[in-house]
Amino acid sequence: MLGKGVVGGGGGTKAPKPSFVSYVRPEEIHTNEKEVTEKEVTLHLLPGEQLLCEASTVLKYVQEDSCQHGVYGRLVCTDFKIAFLGDDESALDNDETQFKNKVIGENDITLHCVDQIYGVFDEKKKTLFGQLKKYPEKLIIHCKDLRVFHFCLRYTKEEEVKRIVSGIIHHTQAPKLLKRLFLFSYATATQNNTAADPKNHTVMFDTLKDWCWELERTKGNMKYKAVSVNEGYKVCERLPAYFVVPTPLAEEDVQRFQGHGIPIWCWSCHNGSALLKMSALPKEQDDGILQIQKSFLDGIYKTIHRPPYEIVKTEDLSGNFLSLQEIQTAYSKFKQLFLIDNSTEFWDTDIKWFSLLESSSWLDIIRRCLKKAIEITECMEAQNMNILLLEENASDLCCLISSLVQVMMDPHCRTRIGFQSLVQKEWVMGGHCFLDRCNHLRQSDKEEVPVFQLFLDCVWQLVHQHPPAFEFTETYLTVLSDSLYIPIFSTFFFNSPHQKDTNVHQRQLSLPLTQSKSSPKRGFFREETDHLIKNLLGKRISKLINSSDELQDNFREFYDSWHSKPTDYHGLLLPHIEGPEIRVWAQRYLRWIPEAQILGGGTVATMSKLLEMMEEVQSLQEKIDERHHSQEDPQAEPPCLLRNSARLSSLFPFALLQRHSSKPILPTSGWKALGDEEDLAKREDEFVDLGDV
Amino acid sequence: MASSSTSKYNSHSLENESIKRTSRDGVTRDLSEAIPRLPGETLITDKEVIYICPFNGPIKGRVYITNYRLYLRSLEMDSALILDVPLGVISRIEKMGGATSRGENSYGLDITCKDMRNLRFALKQEGHSRRDMFEILTRYAFPLAHSLPLFAFLNEEKFNVDGWTVYNPVEEYRRQGLPNHHWRITFINKCYELCDTYPALLVVPYRASDDDLRRVATFRSRNRIPVLSWIHPENKTVIVRCSQPLVGMSGKRNKDDEKYLDIIRETNRQISKLTIYDARPSVNAVANKATGGGYESDDVYHNAELFFLDIHNIHVMRESLKKVKDIVYPNVEESHWLSSLESTHWLEHIKLVLTGAIQVADKVSSGKSSVLVHCSDGWDRTAQLTSLAMLMLDSFYRSIEGFEILVQKEWISFGHKFSSRIGHGDKNHTDADRSPIFLQFIDCVWQMSKQFPTAFEFNERFLIIILDHLYSCRFGTFLFNCESARERQQVTERTVSLWSLINSNKEKFKNPFYTKEINRVLYPVASMRHLELWVNYYIRWNPRIKQQQPNPVEQRYMELLALRDEYIKRLEELQLANSTKLSEPPTSPSSPSQMMPHVQTHF
């Protein structure tokens, strides 16, 4: 597919000039004509954003009260987004403008947010990619934030159909160069206001000072030191410029294998035990080199085993724990459950909902991650052990598990700033390959694995189970998950700090960036490396790893005893991981499905009550303060008008009110066979002999 | 770890003030003094046993059996476990192990309870202690088989509120604006002669005479004729309930019944059809013809439209709940939780019941058509549908007293066979008449309250206490099958009502988020995406699954409420102080704002 994807019609290089040709409306369109002529909905472009192609008289399907109706408008594609400009936008504008995404409108889809595109040809749905021979009458776009758009092109001019369809396919599906990311055009256009907001205290971990601060905060500075050996990425491009290692570790050791095989500090617990991570040494066939590697690792282990260091337990994350392949497969099944085309599909899948959920394994993977994090927490908290996480690159499951452990053990990570700093420390500086894992450049579907999404989902479980322990709500997490696909923020658009630094600085030079495609194709399966690690460390590991029974007992006891005590929201926080406790993150996954909307209900109903009460208490507080200061009578002022507590939908703040009437939504599917209960079903409620009537 | 289990077990116990006084130290000499006792409750026996706790292993304890409850206190110093189980909850008592049983704790009793748990006690093989305990338990758990009265008739509790006065049918119908031009109140059933399972007071169409009613009764199963349950305050459409028509194999007709339904239809002039919801699956309705029942076919009832709601019968529901117990007790199915849950079909049944009720409510509210609801006898599925639809349509029923009235009216007075469905004091645990129909209704209410957390005045504890006393036999509320039986037994004179307990302690059962909204119709989303297993009820005995009580958001809200009240009080005090000070020159202003605890909350 690579290279062949450039379509003549709407290729990125020869984008058609913006043309605002007014269109002829077909007879069958019944809209208020006065409105049509007067209102030309304008396209809002961001600084640096360019219109690439467009089509008019496109019909967008809107579902309302289990029947679909259409809205006419223009479908445009820019170098940032696909946008639909509906003719009745005004109605929406008046509606709920109180909460609105400032960057992405209701009908905007950033190019990176597009997941799959389908075309409908004679009622048949087909995946669209590459060059098309025939153009569809309907376009269905599945988004990575799980929105589904239906656009009917039947009334659009053939030429425009060709242009918009091939344009959209090209700009969203074809492989891209890093330098083509909208990020860069946006940054150029808004250069002067890229400076960091002084109020923002998120620690970026891009200076030695930041790491020292973190060491001090966690009291890890006795045994660990921040090093600048990788300044300018001299040693390794996968590591950040500054990081933290055990104090006695020599800097030459870091350089020896380009930072591989080095225990890198993540976090220190109040009792002195620490969480460390290590990437594997390069695979070697040669016995001599293997021998060298072995003695090197032995040396490293000796260093970190010597007092004052705690006993180290190695946790091999590339072993039997969880593979990236599993995560990928599970999520692709799981997301399909929410990408629903219509009401019929919703109710058809409703009957089998629980088994469909289970067969995706997504919730089970969440459970396994949480369980692993609890096990590690137990070792650190109860057994005073150091934990060394091992993974080939130490940049996928290492990021996930280490940040989960910190969210559970360190209340600072449950504040907004603390959480952002954690993401910055473990994920961005930890070299998680966001570019590849999100497949932002569409270069390899195989590398696309929602590891960060999995992390957010695990954190959501904790937020859902213990809301008072977090400064942020689930909505914060949902918005954060959306920002993965908005190429305005650079946070989630690079594979490593090195890649970011080189590109942001050298961008002006327009260097060919093809080589920056991070790593050569590498599978997820790392059985070989896995063995390697085990072989090299075999003895020590076997000494340290408890027998699995004992491990289970420790885990059970720790878990049960924590849950039997009242929760201290400012202390250690553990999730419940039993079957009924791991749930679907409804806000993120169900928010665009009108059938799943509870009008005037859901958790938002209690949340808004809570907010109202807070406002009331605050205003009372102010009044009391005021009274103390000036002795005038505050009764004169009108009673504080609280937020209009209009009924919000359970989908708030994401979906606008999609149902305006109070009609209930009724399941359309029937009853599933009862199987072995068929006999019972046929029985009478009571044996009644009505024969004599 | 075991020592921490006290609070958990205590918190699950049925509401009882005396529990709070229970001493935890266990050194009290007079042990019988320390066990909670209701007025009228007498201690029968006590024994040393080993309680085999499915979660924490065997615990040595002393069990006290009274004529009301089984009470166990652990004798181990490090575990302060307490079990407090009303004998009414017991469904079955089995002996386990024989005289030759060798294994540790293999000889004793296994008690199956109606509230999703089993209790196992190990006893010594020598000295007949098991036989004694078995006999005493059997005697007092199943008093009907031993010609003993149910405990409700011995209970001498006094409350400052009389729960029996909560429901007065005349008042309730008056609240609905009845009687009116189209509907009248009739006393034809005063002595339960027309229908022995209906209440004495009925609301029927004005144009139907008492003779008409008698003739219609001959054509409805068990004489349960169509009568009004609820009338829409604005459009005057009605929900009418009844039993199936006696059509039979030959397809019998009854002119009076046809005319009667037409009269009902005509009370509402907005639509030309009467909508009939038959709660059963259509195959069952057809099959019912073989035993003389059936449904209203449209070639006979021209002005009616019939829909089947596909809700299964009491046997299916009973088996479904059994499967739920299998996956949650004692251990929660872990690795395949979701598919196991699905295979119980429990939530699927809930979905169908809710879907049916939504249809009824919507037809009345926006379809502007009167609705007639029946199943076979009109006392199980019909009660579920009418009461849930009423709960959706009428916000009054979402208050604590309103809900009590709803239960009292649609379930108790209209003859849901509580006695047969629950088996109060009856030892026949395999009785095919038993079925968790009322529990299923309460579960539906819980699902609604979960989806609309601000719409109900009551909280989850309210629903759970109702279910606890559905089995306990401490109150007369749910005893017997119908009003006529209750009257014969003088239940209101001789027993206490559950509503007395609840209404004299209302604060405990209130939902702090409740926002009264008159005229708000509430349609829950009957999708599996939103339905969930009621963990706090079905899995409440498992200390691992236990949810935080009260939930943290609720707790935070209560704190804010308290803070608000405090501030309002302070503001009033300040105003008062100010008005007295007005004449005087202002004193040196200190900075009292520093004294205020400033609002700090994460939400």
Side-chain angles (χ1 to χ4, degrees), chain A residues 144-196:
Chain A
K144 289 188 176 173
D145 63 5
L146 307 174
R147 286 179 295 171
V148 176
F149 287 90
H150 290 244
F151 296 113
C152 175
L153 305 170
R154 201 169 296 151
Y155 313 110
T156 316
K157 280 188 206 151
E158 201 187 321
E159 194 184 318
E160 288 185 45
V161 170
K162 276 185 188 167
R163 214 157 41 199
I164 195 77
V165 172
S166 50
I168 286 175
I169 291 171
H170 174 73
H171 293 293
T172 60
Q173 311 285 59
K176 250 197 204 92
L177 297 179
L178 180 64
K179 65 176 174 182
R180 291 267 176 225
L181 281 182
F182 176 69
L183 202 63
F184 297 117
S185 359
Y186 182 73
T188 315
T190 56
Q191 226 147 25
N192 24 4
N193 53 16
T194 47

Side-chain angles (χ1 to χ4, degrees), chain B residues 225-236:
Chain B
I225 59 165
V227 294
L228 180 142
S229 270
W230 189 78
I231 183 161
H232 195 284
E234 275 137 38
N235 68 28
K236 303 297 174 200

Side-chain angles (χ1 to χ4, degrees), chain B residues 549-581:
Chain B
Q549 284 296 350
N551 86 58
V553 180
E554 192 178 318
Q555 206 163 6
R556 185 58 57 95
Y557 190 72
M558 301 290 277
E559 285 164 21
L560 282 172
L561 270 174
L563 205 57
R564 181 193 64 172
D565 294 346
E566 192 193 317
Y567 282 178
I568 289 176
K569 218 177 96 200
R570 248 185 241 204
L571 206 58
E572 276 166 4
E573 281 167 10
L574 282 171
Q575 263 161 2
L576 215 66
N578 262 10
S579 58
T580 55
K581 260 186 255 161

Side-chain angles (χ1 to χ4, degrees), chain A residues 498-522:
Chain A
H498 165 258
Q499 190 187 33
K500 183 181 173 183
D501 286 356
T502 40
N503 283 290
V504 171
H505 293 137
Q506 298 179 355
R507 181 175 41 81
Q508 251 59 345
L509 304 174
S510 340
L511 283 178
L513 290 172
T514 33
Q515 99 286 3
S516 82
K517 164 86 181 77
S518 69
S519 46
K521 295 254 187 280
R522 230 185 266 140

Side-chain angles (χ1 to χ4, degrees), chain A residues 595-610:
Chain A
E595 285 80 7
Q597 176 175 234
I598 307 169
L599 209 65
T603 44
V604 69
T606 44
M607 275 303 184
S608 60
K609 288 280 285 186
L610 202 69

Side-chain angles (χ1 to χ4, degrees), chain A residues 337 340 346-347 349-358 363-364 367 465-471 473 556 559-561 564 567 569-570 576-581 583 590 595-603 605-607 609-611 613-614 616-618 620-621 623-625 627-629 631-635 647 662-667 669 671-674 676-677 680-691 693, chain B residues 1 4 8 218 221-222 244 246 252 284 288 291-293 312-316 318-319 323 332 334-339 341-342 345 347-349 351-352 355 358-359 362 366 377 379-381 417 421 432-433 451-454 513-515 517 520 523 525-532 535 539 544-548 552-553 556-557 560-561 563-564 567-568 570-571 574-575 578 586 589 592-593 596-599 601-603:
Chain A
L337 303 177
I340 284 170
F346 180 88
W347 292 111
T349 50
D350 203 53
I351 311 170
K352 280 293 216 174
W353 177 245
F354 292 117
S355 46
L356 286 170
L357 257 187
E358 186 175 289
L363 295 184
D364 194 51
R367 187 200 334 278
Q465 293 179 15
H466 309 286
F470 291 84
E471 191 191 17
T473 63
R556 257 291 155 223
Y559 179 82
D560 284 349
S561 114
S564 67
T567 312
Y569 293 121
H570 301 291
H576 282 279
I577 54 166
E578 286 81 9
E581 308 284 10
R583 286 152 190 275
L590 291 175
E595 285 80 7
Q597 176 175 234
I598 307 169
L599 209 65
T603 44
T606 44
M607 275 303 184
K609 288 280 285 186
L610 202 69
L611 287 175
M613 186 54 71
M614 283 230 337
E616 196 181 336
V617 168
Q618 255 152 2
L620 279 168
Q621 199 169 39
K623 268 192 207 168
I624 294 177
D625 287 0
R627 234 176 204 287
H628 278 288
H629 292 305
Q631 300 282 329
E632 61 199 59
D633 194 359
Q635 287 243 295
R647 236 166 257 157
S662 57
K663 283 286 281 178
I665 296 174
L666 283 168
S669 59
W671 169 257
K672 198 173 59 188
L674 273 171
D676 54 337
E677 275 155 46
L680 281 178
K682 283 183 203 130
R683 271 169 72 181
E684 285 293 313
D685 272 0
E686 256 94 2
F687 176 73
V688 203
D689 192 9
L690 297 167
V693 181
Chain B
M1 123 104 270
S4 56
K8 261 179 260 134
T218 63
S221 170
R222 300 178 194 273
Q244 63 180 335
L246 299 176
K252 264 181 263 171
N284 295 49
N288 258 298
T291 48
H312 279 277
N313 65 28
I314 62 166
H315 313 291
V316 172
R318 182 181 57 237
E319 291 314 306
K323 288 183 183 167
V332 177
E334 186 138 317
S335 50
H336 297 287
W337 166 252
L338 291 168
S339 53
L341 180 62
E342 187 173 273
H345 297 294
L347 290 178
E348 225 168 315
H349 295 304
K351 171 180 163 167
L352 279 170
T355 305
I358 294 169
Q359 278 171 271
D362 182 48
S366 38
D377 291 305
W379 50 40
D380 293 310
R381 290 168 269 200
K417 305 206 304 175
R421 296 290 175 259
D433 249 1
Q451 293 193 14
F452 299 100
T454 62
F513 294 110
Y514 178 51
T515 317
E517 286 179 277
R520 177 178 175 195
Y523 293 124
V525 176
S527 155
M528 297 312 242
R529 271 96 165 166
H530 285 302
L531 299 180
E532 48 184 292
V535 168
I539 323 187
R544 278 182 196 130
I545 307 280
K546 187 75 178 113
Q547 309 251 311
Q548 290 159 40
V553 180
R556 185 58 57 95
Y557 190 72
L560 282 172
L561 270 174
L563 205 57
R564 181 193 64 172
Y567 282 178
I568 289 176
R570 248 185 241 204
L571 206 58
L574 282 171
Q575 263 161 2
N578 262 10
S593 63
M596 300 291 169
H598 276 261
V599 190
T601 176
H602 292 325
F603 294 106

